[in-house]
Amino acid sequence: MKLIIAITGATGAIFGVRMLDLLKNTEIETHLVLSPYATKTIKLETKYNIKEVEEMADYVYAYKDLGAKISSGSFLVDGMIVAPCSMKTLSSIRIGLADNLISRAADVMLKENKKLLLMTRETPLSTIHLENMLYLSKMGAKIFPPMPAFYNLPESIEDIVDHLVYRCFDQFGIHLQAAKRWQGLNQK
């Protein structure tokens, strides 16, 4: 399996970083694109530097490299996750702007009917945000705001992040053993 992971400048860079970390020792090939503000958010919100994050991926592309292999529908890839997805990126994807590699690769996912998951980050949501999400959902994109679950009794931020990352992976048929799953109300 080949998966594009894009990280934008919205808060929540740890989601994309954790995805890369969990996939680095699997058979899944990862292709990473960082927006300019993602590099700032990663430094601000995580313990990682950019070099460490890039080393987690199998392939890394420059944000403005519209000639990269992931910018073409002829490159075989199984899907793309934008985690987190800023409202700017969401808007760019919706209108097909494709002026950077993140929005271009997402555009390719839509036109090729491949899986596209957008971990949208903003609150509260404006009507513009909601309309953009609805439009892209109708086109086949998965809209996945990182809303925490509490039935798994998280004890840390890491537990919350991991649960959401595992749920994102589920959308691509990636099922990691460490995921805590709902066992019903009678489960202790």
Side-chain angles (χ1 to χ4, degrees), residues 66-99:
L66 293 174
K69 60 185 171 183
I70 62 171
S71 71
S72 173
S74 68
F75 178 68
L76 297 178
V77 65
D78 297 285
M80 178 176 182
I81 299 173
V82 184
C85 181
S86 67
M87 291 299 114
K88 176 185 175 187
T89 300
L90 178 80
S91 299
S92 179
I93 295 168
R94 180 196 171 159
I95 64 169
L97 186 58
D99 67 338

Side-chain angles (χ1 to χ4, degrees), residues 30-84:
T30 56
H31 297 259
L32 173 64
V33 186
L34 301 171
S35 77
Y37 276 97
T39 63
K40 296 176 186 330
T41 307
I42 288 167
K43 290 177 191 174
L44 177 69
E45 295 182 349
T46 77
K47 63 182 181 182
Y48 299 97
N49 64 50
I50 301 309
K51 185 175 186 331
E52 290 171 318
V53 172
E54 290 178 340
E55 287 174 350
M56 292 179 197
D58 295 302
Y59 298 91
V60 179
Y61 305 93
Y63 178 70
K64 285 291 188 178
D65 184 4
L66 293 174
K69 60 185 171 183
I70 62 171
S71 71
S72 173
S74 68
F75 178 68
L76 297 178
V77 65
D78 297 285
M80 178 176 182
I81 299 173
V82 184

